[in-house]
Amino acid sequence: MPNLSSRQSGIPQAATMAAAARARQLRAQGRDIISLTLGEPDFPTPLHAVAAAHAAALQGETKYPPVGGTPALKSAIQAKFRRDSQLEFAQDEILVGNGARQIIYDALTATLDEGDEVIVPAPYWNAYPLIARMSGARPVFLECSMEHGFLPAPQAIAAAITPRSRWVVLNYPNNPSGAVCPADHLRALADVLRRAPHVWIMSDDMYEHLIHDGSAHATMAAVAPDLADRVLTISGVSKTYAMTGWRVGFAGGPRGLIAAMAKVQGQSTGGVSPIAQAAATAALDGPQDCVGEMQAAYAARALRVAAALNAVPRLTCHAAAGAFYLYPSIAGLMGRSTPSGTRIDSDAGFCDALLEEAGVAVVHGEAFGKSPHFRLSTAASDRELDAACARIAAFCSGLSG
Ligand code: PLP
């Protein structure tokens, strides 16, 4: 086979995808597997969004779209940013991409050079370091403890900043920990970032509407308006409106950065399907009750699953404040063995044994940069979640040593 690029060949497949694929493979072999691996809402896309896509297709919106997004969707995004965060963006300060993942790819590709550094608090969504490495940059991880709510300490960010730092990534509510960052904590981070004018700030707000106590989401550009000329505020419709398959994400940020990102997008995928953009426009502009209903369901599940897991001896599960994940610690189970003799000496080993011996698929914490933990998605029915918790409890109680 001819050579692959040296930059890409060292980059592993995302562990979330690998865990989901393994679960599917075992199911295909007839095994009874409950998969809580993917960050994929278990609700249908709201019907008014589907209807808008249908109408757009019938009306002939089937041609190449503008690379940066249709004017109608950009207007809906402007209204969304104003409504949710009191942020004002002109149309050329907004970019629509094929999912927020592409927005992140565009942003990092447009700004990173070989050897640059991207500061990523851990635990993190694994796309940030993988995409940074694709640009030849080096992710710099900051470990955030469960005891401190999985939030980065301002001093830790200050200590991590070097002349090569290009980005600090903030993602709250967080995937995988469910941590929410209060406005006061963001203000403290802003105080540090104010002293580093060479650093871009990525605020990945994908789960902004999934905050369990219903409190308002705080975002950097709104909390520290003086930093807005280096903040990229990212969101999308995948999680909020159960629209993962439509592939629509977006960002608001400074004009020059947005233009550079559009250039990257123009040479990778071009614009997003206009049919999907029509659906996203309807979701953002239409009735929002579906969002509250889904959010309430995720909040109830987070409580229910955390309670069930905390009842398992040696498992510790924090109360996730948002998103649809839990990130329990298995520190108390390390060194113990399954009845078949497998010794648990890492979270990856725990997840493998849980899958093989108890039929529950979750993702090991190593993939999110913080061990020993596992990520469990609550985007599943109560019946599946209860069954999974019962299996996890039985599996953990069967460990000895
Ligand atoms: N940001 C975070 C934190 C995520 O967890 C995800 C998806 O899992 C995304 C961005 C990307 O979402 P999408 O590409 O579906 O818009």
Side-chain angles (χ1 to χ4, degrees):
M1 184 172 94
N3 282 353
L4 299 176
S5 121
S6 51
R7 256 187 204 167
Q8 314 309 326
S9 57
I11 292 173
Q13 188 199 5
T16 39
M17 308 284 183
R22 177 78 185 129
R24 273 195 298 273
Q25 193 184 34
L26 290 179
R27 264 191 200 145
Q29 292 166 11
R31 295 271 310 273
D32 167 23
I33 303 291
I34 303 174
S35 180
L36 304 178
T37 49
L38 286 183
E40 171 118 47
D42 57 315
F43 296 99
T45 295
L47 273 182
H48 59 273
V50 179
H54 189 210
L58 289 175
Q59 283 157 21
E61 288 183 41
T62 52
K63 303 289 161 78
Y64 285 129
V67 168
T70 60
L73 178 52
K74 285 189 170 190
S75 296
I77 293 167
Q78 285 176 307
K80 174 251 168 294
F81 275 127
R82 195 173 301 127
R83 174 171 78 228
D84 293 335
S85 312
Q86 297 77 54
L87 291 174
E88 290 294 335
F89 292 105
Q91 291 236 336
D92 61 356
E93 293 172 322
I94 288 174
L95 180 67
V96 177
N98 288 272
R101 189 190 291 269
Q102 185 178 22
I103 293 286
I104 296 164
Y105 177 85
D106 293 340
L108 297 183
T109 306
T111 51
L112 292 174
D113 286 315
E114 194 83 31
D116 283 345
E117 294 167 1
V118 177
I119 299 175
V120 186
Y124 47 75
W125 182 45
N126 50 13
Y128 312 121
L130 296 182
I131 297 174
R133 285 167 56 191
M134 283 181 170
S135 284
R138 190 170 75 84
V140 174
F141 301 118
L142 288 187
E143 187 154 342
C144 306
S145 72
M146 187 161 74
E147 294 66 37
H148 291 105
F150 294 112
L151 294 177
Q155 317 82 281
I157 296 226
I161 293 174
T162 73
R164 292 312 300 264
S165 306
R166 282 292 162 273
W167 285 92
V168 168
V169 177
L170 303 174
N171 165 227
Y172 305 102
N174 178 259
N175 173 6
S177 70
V180 166
C181 191
D184 280 351
H185 196 92
L186 277 182
R187 272 187 209 102
L189 298 180
D191 287 343
V192 166
L193 293 167
R194 209 164 267 129
R195 298 198 293 271
H198 62 297
V199 178
W200 295 103
I201 303 159
M202 180 178 290
S203 182
D204 180 347
D205 297 356
M206 276 306 283
Y207 298 91
E208 60 181 311
H209 292 288
L210 306 181
I211 297 186
H212 299 331
D213 67 2
S215 60
H217 167 68
T219 192
M220 186 57 95
V223 161
D226 59 310
L227 298 183
D229 62 349
R230 12 189 204 113
V231 178
L232 184 69
T233 307
I234 300 175
S235 195
V237 295
S238 289
K239 317 289 176 174
T240 307
Y241 301 99
M243 291 179 67
T244 42
W246 298 81
R247 309 311 303 131
V248 182
F250 52 84
R255 190 169 283 119
L257 175 62
I258 293 290
M261 290 166 58
K263 210 194 279 180
V264 173
Q265 185 163 297
Q267 295 312 323
S268 49
T269 60
V272 177
S273 153
I275 299 167
Q277 293 198 61
T281 306
L284 290 173
D285 281 346
Q288 300 296 303
D289 354 350
C290 53
V291 178
E293 286 158 19
M294 290 187 270
Q295 184 273 318
Y298 293 129
R301 292 171 189 176
L303 280 180
R304 181 191 187 101
V305 175
L309 296 180
N310 276 323
V312 178
R314 298 168 188 269
L315 213 56
T316 316
C317 188
H318 67 294
F324 42 63
Y325 308 104
L326 289 170
Y327 201 59
S329 163
I330 58 158
L333 296 168
M334 299 296 275
R336 297 173 77 82
S337 298
T338 69
S340 66
T342 307
R343 195 180 131 90
I344 307 295
D345 46 20
S346 66
D347 50 29
F350 173 86
C351 293
D352 285 347
L354 184 68
L355 177 60
E356 299 300 332
E357 301 188 24
V360 178
V362 291
V363 186
H364 55 81
E366 209 182 291
F368 306 100
K370 180 151 178 71
S371 294
H373 287 260
F374 66 88
R375 187 191 79 173
L376 172 157
S377 162
T378 57
S381 68
D382 285 349
R383 194 178 48 79
E384 278 179 300
L385 292 171
D386 289 349
C389 288
R391 289 185 191 189
I392 293 171
F395 174 78
C396 293
S397 339
L399 299 175
S400 57

